[in-house]
Amino acid sequence: MNATVIILFLIIVGMTLAITYYAAKRTNTASEFYTAGGGLTGWQNGLAIAGDYLSAASFLGIAGAIALNGFDGFLFSIGYLVAYLVVLFIVAEPLRNLGRYTLADMINARFDAKKIRATAALNTITIVIFYMIAQLVGAGALIQLLFGIPYWVAVVIVGIMMTIYVLFGGMTATSWVQIIKAVLLMVGTIIISFMVLAKFNFNIFEMFTTMKTATPLGEAYLNPGVKYTVPLDTISLMIALVLGTAGLPHILMRFFTVKNAKTARSSVIWATWIVGIFYVMTIFLGFGAAAFVGADVIKSSNAAGNMAAPLLAQVLGGDILMSFVSAVAFATILAVVAGLVLSGASAFAHDIYGQIIKKGKATEKQQMLAAKYASLSVSVFSILLALFAQNLNVAFLVSLAFCVAASANLPVIVYTIYWKRFNTTGAMTGMIAGLVSALVLVAISPSVMSPVAGAALITGDPIFPLTNPALLSVPIGFIGGVIGTLLSNKQDAKRFAEVKVKANTGYKTQV
C-alpha cells in the first residue's frame, strides 16, 4: 500500500466521520433515524439513490465483465439501467405516499394485519442478508487486493465503519456518505472515460473498430454469446435485474427520505440520469481495460476481472489515479453496506419490535433504542457471516437478492396499489410463494450444485437448470397472489378506494 492510497483512504474516512458527527446531533427521533426526517431534496436523494445502487459489483465487476466478455458484460449495465424505469413509473410515487419507514408500512396501509407485516419484514431481512454477505465478502476480497491487507482486517474495518455511520448518524449520515460516494464515483469514471476516449482520438467509431481486433475474441467481442450461451438463463437474469430493483428494501427505503411524492419522482429522475450516464461510461472502462491492460494481466490479478478498472487507471494515470480509484471503490463499498444495515435494522426494530411486539405503542426513546440495538445486531451478525464465508463462492447471492425482491416483494407492491380485488390471503400467498420458490430453485440450481468438487456449495448434478430462477419464481409470486386472493371471499373496496386516493395524491401522508 503506497502513501497516496493511505492519504486518500484517511481523507474519505475523515470526511465520512465528520458527516456522522454532524448528523448525530440532528438524529434524535425515530423519523430522523429511519428517514432523515424526510428532509432531503430531489437532487440529494437522487445522488443518494445512485450511491446506494451503484455497488462495487457495478463499478469493478461490470468494468471487468466488459473487458473480458465484451457485449455480454454490458448486459448487466442494460439490466441495471432499465430497472429504474420500473421504479420510476410503478413504485416510487405510490410508495412515498403510502409508506412511512419500511415496505411493510406501505403494504399495511391497505392490509392492517400483523402476519403481513411480519412476512414483509422476513422478506426484507432475507434480501438484506443475501446482499450483505455478498457485499462484505466481496469488500474483504477487493480491499485485500487494493490495499494489501488481510481479508479479516478488511471485513472488520468495513464493518466498524458501517456500524458507526448507522448507529450514530442514522439515515442522515448514511445518505451523505452515499452522496459523497456517488460524486467521487462519477468524477473517477468521467476522468477515466475521457482518458480512454483520448486514446481513440475522441472517435467512438474508431474505438469500436479497434476493439474488433484488440482482444483474443476478435469480432465476437462485440457480439452476444461469449459468456452467456444459454438464452433462457440470460433472460432469467435480466428479469431478476429489471424487476428486482423495484423490490429492494434499501432502495425503497430511500423514497421515505423526501417530503412528498413530487420530490420522490424528482429524485428518481435524478438517479436515473446519474445511473444511466454511469452505465454508459462502463463501456469506456471495459473497452479501455481490454485494449490497454489486456485480458491476461486482468485475469492474473483477479480471475473475475474485478481489478480491470484500477489496473486501467494505473496504465492511464499512474499510481495517483489508481490510488484515487481504489479510494472510490472503498467509499462505494461503505455506502452500500451502510444502506443495507439501515434497511435490515428498520425491519427488526420498526416492523417486528415497534409494530408487532409493542403494537405501535413504543415511546420515542424505546424506538430509538430498538433501532440502535437492531443496527448493532445486524452489523455484528453480518460481519461474522462474512468472516466465515471467505472461501465460499457467494457472488450469486447478489442476483439471488434481486430475484427474491422481484418474486416476493414486487407482486404484492403492484397488487396492493392497482388491484381492487386483492386481499390479505393473496398478499400472504404472493409473498410466501415468491420467497420460497426463489430460495428452493436456487438451492437446486447450478449456483449451489455442481458435479465438480469445490466449484459450488454442494457437489452433485443441479436439478434446476438455470443459475437464476427469476424466469419461474417471479410468475410464481404473481400467480400466488392471484390464487390466494381468489380462494378468499374477503375484499374491502372502501379500503382500496382510500389507498388509491392516498397513492395518487399523498393525502394524509404528507410529512
Side-chain angles (χ1 to χ4, degrees):
M1 195 184 334
N2 62 45
T4 310
V5 173
I6 295 174
I7 292 170
L8 290 172
F9 174 88
L10 292 176
I11 288 174
I12 286 179
V13 170
M15 286 172 63
T16 52
L17 288 179
I19 289 169
T20 304
Y21 176 74
Y22 172 84
K25 292 182 176 181
R26 289 157 178 77
T27 304
N28 301 309
T29 66
S31 172
E32 290 164 347
F33 186 86
Y34 291 127
T35 65
L40 294 186
T41 64
W43 71 266
Q44 288 170 344
N45 197 41
L47 274 170
I49 290 172
D52 206 0
Y53 191 58
L54 298 174
S55 65
S58 294
F59 180 44
L60 302 177
I62 291 181
I66 294 176
L68 298 180
N69 305 310
F71 181 86
D72 278 4
F74 188 59
L75 281 176
F76 281 96
S77 294
I78 298 171
Y80 285 132
L81 176 57
V82 174
Y84 261 93
L85 299 179
V86 180
V87 179
L88 175 63
F89 289 112
I90 297 178
V91 174
E93 190 169 333
L95 185 77
R96 172 60 189 85
N97 285 337
L98 293 174
R100 188 181 178 198
Y101 299 147
T102 63
L103 171 63
D105 284 338
M106 178 262 190
I107 301 171
N108 220 53
R110 182 165 177 189
F111 308 110
D112 193 10
K114 288 182 181 178
K115 56 187 178 184
I116 289 184
R117 184 179 285 278
T119 308
L122 174 66
N123 286 349
T124 294
I125 292 165
T126 303
I127 293 167
V128 166
I129 289 175
F130 286 153
Y131 214 123
M132 181 70 88
I133 294 173
Q135 291 295 322
L136 282 179
V137 172
L142 288 172
I143 292 175
Q144 186 179 20
L145 280 170
L146 293 169
F147 299 98
I149 57 179
Y151 170 85
W152 72 268
V153 175
V155 169
V156 170
I157 289 175
V158 172
I160 290 174
M161 294 301 295
M162 72 184 186
T163 307
I164 290 174
Y165 298 150
V166 177
L167 198 60
F168 296 103
M171 180 56 90
T172 302
T174 302
S175 297
W176 280 100
V177 169
Q178 291 166 344
I179 290 170
I180 289 176
K181 164 271 181 89
V183 172
L184 289 174
L185 182 62
M186 291 303 289
V187 169
T189 309
I190 289 171
I191 290 173
I192 296 175
S193 299
F194 182 84
M195 296 175 81
V196 168
L197 265 178
K199 291 280 187 181
F200 293 106
N201 302 312
F202 297 100
N203 187 328
I204 298 287
F205 298 105
E206 181 180 330
M207 181 178 75
F208 276 86
T209 303
T210 303
M211 293 313 298
K212 291 180 180 177
T213 56
T215 74
L217 297 172
E219 291 193 14
Y221 182 80
L222 298 178
N223 297 316
V226 171
K227 181 176 176 61
Y228 301 109
T229 54
V230 181
L232 284 180
D233 220 353
T234 307
I235 293 170
S236 192
L237 177 63
M238 286 299 107
I239 289 173
L241 296 182
V242 171
L243 300 181
T245 302
L248 289 176
H250 63 295
I251 298 296
L252 298 179
M253 195 175 179
R254 292 232 51 90
F255 296 115
F256 304 130
T257 64
V258 295
K259 61 182 179 181
N260 53 34
K262 182 181 178 183
T263 315
R265 194 164 55 243
S266 167
S267 62
V268 176
I269 293 171
W270 272 95
T272 305
W273 274 106
I274 296 165
V275 170
I277 292 170
F278 170 81
Y279 281 124
V280 168
M281 289 192 295
T282 57
I283 297 173
F284 303 119
L285 301 184
F287 281 12
F292 307 121
V293 179
D296 292 339
V297 175
I298 294 171
K299 288 180 180 176
S300 66
S301 294
N302 179 267
N306 288 326
M307 289 297 287
L311 288 171
L312 174 63
Q314 188 173 39
V315 169
L316 297 175
D319 287 341
I320 292 178
L321 188 56
M322 182 183 182
S323 300
F324 178 72
V325 168
S326 300
V328 169
F330 178 68
T332 296
I333 292 165
L334 289 180
V336 174
V337 293
L340 288 169
V341 169
L342 197 55
S343 60
S346 66
F348 274 116
H350 175 66
D351 292 326
I352 296 177
Y353 172 77
Q355 298 299 317
I356 296 176
I357 296 177
K358 299 295 286 185
K359 300 178 180 177
K361 297 177 180 177
T363 65
E364 196 67 48
K365 185 178 180 182
Q366 287 175 322
Q367 290 185 58
M368 283 297 290
L369 276 176
K372 294 195 172 184
Y373 280 130
S375 301
L376 189 60
S377 301
V378 170
S379 297
V380 172
F381 184 63
S382 302
I383 292 169
L384 290 175
L385 285 178
L387 290 175
F388 285 110
Q390 177 183 1
N391 296 319
L392 299 178
N393 180 8
V394 295
F396 72 93
L397 289 180
V398 172
S399 58
L400 176 58
F402 275 82
C403 180
V404 172
S407 308
N409 284 351
L410 186 62
V412 76
I413 292 173
V414 172
Y415 288 152
T416 297
I417 300 169
Y418 299 105
W419 190 19
K420 184 178 179 181
R421 178 76 169 79
F422 194 45
N423 56 31
T424 304
T425 307
M428 288 297 298
T429 54
M431 285 191 287
I432 293 173
L435 176 65
V436 172
S437 62
L439 295 179
V440 170
L441 290 173
V442 163
I444 58 174
S445 75
S447 295
V448 176
M449 302 178 72
S450 172
V452 180
L457 297 177
I458 299 173
T459 302
D461 291 325
I463 300 169
F464 183 69
L466 305 180
T467 55
N468 191 298
L471 184 64
L472 198 57
S473 63
V474 172
I476 288 176
F478 276 98
I479 293 170
V482 172
I483 292 175
T485 299
L486 297 179
L487 287 177
S488 172
N489 293 323
K490 292 183 178 178
Q491 57 178 310
D492 191 340
K494 183 181 178 183
R495 189 71 174 265
F496 175 70
E498 291 175 2
V499 166
K500 196 172 181 181
V501 171
K502 287 181 183 178
N504 287 286
T505 65
Y507 180 66
K508 289 185 179 179
T509 63
Q510 298 280 358
V511 176

